[in-house]
Amino acid sequence: MPILYSGISSKHLSYREGRKEKVYRDGKSWPTLGVGANLAEEHILATFKTLKKFPKEVIEDLQGLKKLSDSEREKKAKDIEKQFANITFSNQEIDKLFEASFQVAEKDVKEAFNKGMWEERRLKNGETVKVWNGQKVDSKAWEKQPELVRAVCLDLSFNTGGPGLRKYKSFLRAVKAEDYRRAALELLNSKDYTENIKPKAANRGLALRRRDAAIELSKLAEKQEEKRKRHSANPVEMGKN
């Protein structure tokens, strides 16, 4: 049963990512710990090194993972997983890693939102159209979004790691246009969904995550459409509300 996006928190992401006390390999064979913390990410590794005293060779292996091919990384990740097989991390240590991940996700999503905005332009025939200006900065774009939308975007940023949200350009444009139905479709058209939705896909959880977000965004779009219809039917009463 999908969890509702009523806010973003450690509890919410623990449900989505899982909360593991031991190092494991995620769907793409990255060494991972706690609440989806990829140990090869620089900001995670910096925090990870402060948790316990690890052999220098292990840290060097983690630092070098991004330089390897997929097959080489998978093999090395298996070795790393074995090295940590007997080490259990505490809730406090896991929370530290989560905090490091969440801070990066939050910074990423705000920067992605604030850059670029829709502008109204008048054509020669007098018609007004909206045009996307990717260079403009709207410092209040993030705060303008409904809580559910912010939760979905934070979840997406956390899940993709670091600046991954910027890859969802069409999704972001749709959200900033408050076209949440279109935003939902963009998630379902993403590679995360189309390449992982098959029943036996190794990373099917990722596709289900995108699907759940699309469902919630579609519900939001329906609510907004109903509100607009009520406003059109009785603008005076809606104005009072």
Side-chain angles (χ1 to χ4, degrees):
M1 181 177 179
I3 188 170
L4 295 179
Y5 288 89
S6 58
I8 204 77
S9 65
S10 177
K11 183 178 180 181
H12 168 88
L13 287 167
S14 292
Y15 176 91
R16 288 291 177 183
E17 299 280 350
R19 187 180 179 93
K20 303 290 181 66
E21 298 173 343
K22 291 190 175 184
V23 174
Y24 66 97
R25 286 175 293 124
D26 69 6
K28 295 183 178 180
S29 282
W30 290 102
T32 309
L33 175 63
V35 186
N38 182 343
L39 299 181
E41 293 292 344
E42 186 177 345
H43 61 284
I44 294 296
L45 187 55
T47 302
F48 182 69
K49 289 190 291 186
T50 68
L51 302 183
K52 299 180 187 294
K53 190 173 182 179
F54 302 108
K56 182 180 178 182
E57 295 76 16
V58 173
I59 299 301
E60 289 177 347
D61 283 345
L62 289 169
Q63 289 173 327
L65 283 175
K66 289 189 175 183
K67 299 176 182 178
L68 303 178
S69 65
D70 289 348
S71 59
E72 290 173 331
R73 186 184 72 242
E74 184 174 0
K75 183 179 179 181
K76 178 62 70 174
K78 286 181 180 179
D79 293 337
I80 292 173
E81 186 179 29
K82 289 179 182 178
Q83 292 180 60
F84 284 98
N86 297 320
I87 301 178
T88 300
F89 292 82
S90 68
N91 284 328
Q92 185 178 8
E93 290 171 329
I94 289 172
D95 287 341
K96 283 184 178 180
L97 289 178
F98 169 77
E99 184 179 352
S101 296
F102 187 78
Q103 286 177 351
V104 170
E106 189 174 39
K107 181 174 181 289
D108 169 48
V109 76
K110 287 182 178 180
E111 288 179 354
F113 253 87
N114 291 346
K115 186 173 182 180
M117 61 187 296
W118 290 98
E119 296 180 326
E120 287 191 351
R121 292 186 185 175
R122 188 178 295 276
L123 303 178
K124 291 182 179 180
N125 62 5
E127 182 183 355
T128 300
V129 296
K130 284 190 174 182
V131 179
W132 178 256
N133 186 336
Q135 301 305 313
K136 275 287 187 75
V137 174
D138 182 358
S139 60
K140 296 183 179 180
W142 175 243
E143 286 72 17
K144 292 176 184 176
Q145 293 297 326
E147 181 186 11
L148 183 143
V149 176
R150 284 184 283 174
V152 167
C153 291
L154 274 168
D155 181 84
L156 184 62
S157 180
F158 186 94
N159 181 232
T160 53
L165 183 64
R166 290 171 176 77
K167 297 177 182 178
Y168 289 79
K169 293 180 180 179
S170 297
F171 166 78
L172 283 172
R173 290 185 185 185
V175 168
K176 293 183 77 169
E178 297 183 5
D179 186 350
Y180 301 122
R181 194 177 297 280
R182 180 67 192 178
L185 289 173
E186 292 296 344
L187 288 181
L188 296 180
N189 285 330
S190 69
K191 288 185 178 180
D192 283 347
Y193 181 79
T194 58
E195 294 182 358
N196 295 292
I197 193 56
K198 294 180 180 179
K200 294 185 179 181
N203 210 10
R204 190 164 188 264
L206 186 64
L208 297 178
R209 196 163 175 166
R210 299 292 177 265
R211 183 201 64 185
D212 290 349
I215 290 172
E216 296 304 321
L217 288 171
S218 296
K219 288 179 181 178
L220 177 61
E222 289 176 5
K223 288 180 181 178
Q224 289 187 326
E225 288 169 7
E226 289 174 3
K227 186 176 180 180
R228 282 193 289 268
K229 287 178 181 178
R230 291 198 302 270
H231 184 272
S232 297
N234 198 341
V236 176
E237 287 299 317
M238 289 299 293
K240 290 179 180 179
N241 295 333

